[in-house]
Amino acid sequence: MDKRLKVCGMKVPSNIEMVADLQPDYIGFIFYKGSKRYVADLSAQFVKDLPSNIKRTGVFVNEELRTVVERVLEYGLHAVQLHGDEPASYARELKALIDIEVIKAFGIDDQFDFDQLDAYSNSVDYFLFDTKTPDHGGSGRVFNWDLLKKYSLDKPYFLSGGIDLESIDEINRIKDERFYAVDVNSKFELEPGLKDIDKLIDFKNMLSY
Ligand SMILES: O=C(O)c1ccccc1N[C@@H]1O[C@H](COP(=O)(O)O)[C@@H](O)[C@H]1O
């Protein structure tokens, strides 16, 4: 399976345009006010006008369903990333309200119970495995990818958490059909929300598809 690329945490229009020119598969916008990458006053029309082949993804943390639906419509989102403690029923309700791809994120540490994923299997399109952090995401830290040996479901997943240019060899060595996409964020930044385009070009060129 081809490996997709998601670039997350965008908020500066000129920088977003440069990232869009690189044609990642997903581009992520953080709608969580507690984040340094919160979209704030980013124009919804600007986001809607981005090339339609790049999936515009909204990242939400324990947000009210009504607000998520409003943002999906306002910004023309193709995908929603649930990065809080949302139960499987939340994803089901969201899908009943709106036709949207749902990515459910989980913070992984040594204690993570992979059995809890069973309940989500029929309710979401993808899992996203990130490093466990009290800030919910954007930690810039890598979790122990060996823990993914405990993942037994068929559902494809995004790999996330502190991925850097230096991670590329290890990423390219992962031979797992379920490894669907790589998600990059804080390690490709000049400052929170502003991506280093040259570094992203290098990463994309080195990613084995
Ligand atoms: O980036 C954030 O500030 C953020 C805040 C709250 C939830 C998710 C957030 N970002 C997501 O975190 C992961 C990992 O990011 P990093 O590479 O460790 O910086 C990524 O999926 C972002 O979508």
Side-chain angles (χ1 to χ4, degrees), residues 4 6 26 81 101 103 126-130 156-160 178-183:
R4 272 66 168 188
K6 171 167 172 276
Y26 292 77
Q81 180 175 319
E101 189 173 302
I103 304 163
Y126 301 100
F127 291 130
L128 183 150
F129 298 128
D130 186 11
Y157 62 86
F158 287 62
L159 184 62
S160 180
R178 302 164 303 174
F179 180 10
Y180 175 74
V182 184
D183 187 348

Side-chain angles (χ1 to χ4, degrees), residues 115-156:
D115 289 344
Q116 68 179 281
L117 302 180
D118 295 1
Y120 291 83
S121 207
N122 294 324
S123 314
V124 305
D125 297 284
Y126 301 100
F127 291 130
L128 183 150
F129 298 128
D130 186 11
T131 309
K132 189 171 175 65
T133 164
D135 298 330
H136 297 289
S139 71
R141 288 189 293 108
V142 181
F143 69 92
N144 175 6
W145 295 346
D146 276 347
L147 292 168
L148 293 178
K149 288 180 187 151
K150 296 185 191 171
Y151 175 54
S152 60
L153 301 176
D154 291 333
K155 181 81 54 194

